[in-house]
Amino acid sequence: MERGHLNNSMGNVIITPDVIAQFAGAQALECFGIVGMAAKSTKDSVMHLLKKESLKKGIEVTITDNNISISFHVIVAYGLNIVSVTENLMENVKYKLEEFTGMKVSCINVLVEGVRVID
């Protein structure tokens, strides 16, 4: 598993993909129109909305040469423009991840796995 490495005068910082996935999932949920992360059930191949403590299951993170590539499997709120919601997600998460980690985000993929009516 590739990890992010940051070196400074005091030592090394290593960031695992799980930490990045958890942070990115929390940031994604703050974006307007994102209902939650989705994961496929191994039993019946149906997509399920993940609870907040399981967010990283709906996110795939790859780190190569301190560049982050991330894929989100999301459920979007019904009635909203999907392109606008996903562009907002990409811009917000990219900015916040780069600020949080000090690494460059090279790619963000958003896979819309479902639409849900919210009350």
Side-chain angles (χ1 to χ4, degrees), residues 33-118:
I34 300 296
V35 175
M37 298 297 128
K40 190 176 284 189
S41 169
T42 55
K43 178 174 71 172
D44 54 10
S45 297
V46 175
M47 298 308 287
H48 295 285
L49 184 65
L50 293 170
K51 296 179 181 173
K52 288 188 179 184
E53 56 272 2
S54 304
L55 290 178
K56 63 185 181 182
K57 291 181 182 175
I59 301 170
E60 299 160 11
V61 176
T62 306
I63 303 170
T64 308
D65 299 327
N66 283 340
N67 288 314
I68 301 169
S69 296
I70 190 165
S71 295
F72 291 93
H73 297 265
V74 299
I75 297 175
V76 176
Y78 177 79
L80 299 178
N81 183 307
I82 292 174
V83 173
S84 297
V85 170
T86 55
E87 284 178 349
N88 181 44
L89 168 72
M90 295 165 113
E91 290 171 9
N92 287 339
V93 169
K94 180 179 189 297
Y95 173 77
K96 290 180 180 178
L97 260 181
E98 289 179 345
E99 287 291 312
F100 178 65
T101 64
M103 295 187 282
K104 183 177 180 344
V105 176
S106 58
C107 179
I108 298 178
N109 298 309
V110 181
L111 293 90
V112 178
E113 301 287 1
V115 177
R116 182 167 285 190
V117 176
I118 53 176

Side-chain angles (χ1 to χ4, degrees), residues 21-39:
Q22 192 68 39
F23 179 79
Q27 297 307 312
L29 288 181
E30 291 183 8
C31 294
F32 179 75
I34 300 296
V35 175
M37 298 297 128

